[in-house]
Amino acid sequence: MILKKNEVPSSPKLGVEWTQSLENDIIDRLAEVDCVEIIPENFFFNRRDDFIKKLGASGTPVMIHGVELSIGSDEPVKQAHLERMLEVADRVNMIDLSDHLCMTESGGVEVGQLTPLPWSVNAADVVCKNIERVMAQVRVPFLIENIANRFVFPETELTEVQFINRVLDRTGCQLLLDLHNLHANAFNFKFDPFAWLEELDLNRVGAIHLAGGHYDDEGTLVDGHSHPIPDRVWELYRSVCAKVTPACTIVERTENFPVYGEVLTEVDKARGIVNSSIISFSQDLQSGVGR
Ligand SMILES: [Fe+2]
């Protein structure tokens, strides 16, 4: 769902990302979240069938979040891979489909990681064509996620935000805004993440990822989904929620597992931020102040 300015979703959804180590807890405590995000590649060829059956039977809204569609490769998006994603999606209550703004393979050779794209008009054209191919085949919103950049191309034609805005505008797809990826990029490449958000078309944010990472031996902030969500990411989340109300927010914790209750505490904290932004927005509307 794309929100117009001054519009809030009727019931913003807050949830968690599936991870194998926590899947029993996730199933046992589905009533405590509004939605679950799954990476469909983990469930191809009926793998982890029991979890998918239970998740599907529950009717829980599910975000299908791919990692290998390679939407930025300069070749048509992999049709067989997309069909496998949709086979998984058919078994649950899919509310949206997403993948990353990057490439993961080219010419049939897998890169093995989310690889940044050059921020150029030509690269944007390639991405747009692939997104349009996907959108033509799905009945739910398609979202593209900003990645944690391991490197950036020098002297690019566009800034990252211009590149993202261009793709969103051209295709009508939505942004899955990962605020820890933004935080990591801002730290590693030394820019102001709040200024980055100022440039972004926030009205096209369809969902948000919150996570915590860690620093490697060289002092690089890694998007590890491995630690509690840091204060800086919460600040970014408050900043976004002050301007638009995200329809979905997912807490990603897929490494260095805590007890599941700690993940749910972060979900509740996010819920509190979203709800207080809605209250404040309602008060602004009553007093005639726009967002
Ligand atoms: Fe993410």
Side-chain angles (χ1 to χ4, degrees):
M1 173 174 51
I2 295 283
L3 298 174
K4 296 191 180 79
K5 201 174 170 73
N6 292 344
E7 186 181 2
V8 296
S10 52
S11 54
K13 290 182 170 51
L14 285 293
V16 295
E17 180 170 9
W18 168 88
T19 190
Q20 188 173 8
S21 297
L22 299 177
E23 68 178 17
N24 290 334
D25 294 305
I26 291 171
I27 290 294
D28 290 345
R29 301 178 70 173
L30 277 176
E32 295 174 64
V33 296
D34 307 312
C35 57
V36 172
E37 180 178 275
I38 64 171
I39 293 176
E41 285 85 351
N42 287 307
F43 302 94
F44 282 2
F45 311 114
N46 288 330
R47 286 200 299 268
R48 302 185 175 96
D49 194 46
D50 192 45
F51 175 82
I52 285 292
K53 278 183 181 160
K54 288 176 180 169
L55 186 61
S58 74
T60 302
V62 176
M63 298 172 67
I64 302 290
H65 185 48
V67 293
E68 295 175 6
L69 206 45
S70 201
I71 213 89
S73 295
D74 190 6
E75 53 199 56
V77 75
K78 298 174 291 182
Q79 183 63 27
H81 192 92
L82 175 60
E83 287 173 9
R84 282 189 203 108
M85 290 172 71
L86 296 177
E87 282 170 17
V88 175
D90 279 346
R91 303 184 64 197
V92 296
N93 178 19
M94 172 173 65
I95 55 170
D96 61 36
L97 179 75
S98 59
D99 207 299
H100 300 79
L101 191 49
C102 70
M103 60 172 285
T104 56
E105 74 170 65
S106 182
V109 178
E110 290 188 18
V111 182
Q113 62 183 29
L114 305 180
T115 304
L117 303 174
W119 300 323
S120 67
V121 170
N122 280 347
D125 287 346
V126 165
V127 168
C128 288
K129 280 184 194 147
N130 273 331
I131 289 176
E132 283 160 0
R133 287 183 180 111
V134 174
M135 290 176 72
Q137 298 181 63
V138 296
R139 56 184 166 77
V140 293
F142 181 70
L143 296 85
I144 199 81
E145 177 179 355
N146 58 304
I147 67 166
N149 294 313
R150 291 166 190 265
F151 63 88
V152 294
F153 287 83
E155 299 178 16
T156 54
E157 191 176 1
L158 305 170
T159 66
E160 182 179 33
V161 181
Q162 287 170 341
F163 185 78
I164 292 172
N165 283 343
R166 186 180 184 90
V167 169
L168 300 177
D169 191 46
R170 283 266 311 275
T171 62
C173 84
Q174 302 177 27
L175 180 66
L176 201 180
L177 175 60
D178 188 310
L179 290 173
H180 189 271
N181 288 350
L182 170 58
H183 168 51
N185 290 339
F187 177 83
N188 294 330
F189 298 100
K190 300 182 175 28
F191 65 84
D192 177 0
F194 294 95
W196 192 97
L197 285 174
E198 283 291 323
E199 277 187 63
L200 184 69
D201 182 358
L202 285 175
N203 287 308
R204 301 210 72 88
V205 173
I208 288 186
H209 275 171
L210 301 173
H214 58 273
Y215 297 90
D216 68 12
D217 294 342
E218 288 159 3
T220 300
L221 179 52
V222 178
D223 175 46
H225 301 175
S226 52
H227 288 77
I229 298 162
D231 289 345
R232 187 71 158 169
V233 172
W234 288 120
E235 285 171 28
L236 292 168
Y237 188 55
R238 284 191 189 88
S239 161
V240 172
C241 290
K243 293 172 182 159
V244 294
T245 303
C248 293
T249 299
I250 294 291
V251 172
E252 293 183 294
R253 184 66 181 266
T254 54
E255 298 288 340
N256 191 23
F257 308 105
V259 294
Y260 185 54
E262 288 179 32
V263 180
L264 291 180
T265 299
E266 293 186 313
V267 172
D268 287 342
K269 181 171 176 174
R271 191 187 303 282
I273 291 169
V274 171
N275 286 343
S276 64
S277 76
I278 292 173
I279 291 168
S280 137
F281 175 52
S282 301
Q283 289 168 343
D284 286 349
L285 273 185
Q286 283 172 6
S287 59
V289 179
R291 248 176 185 180

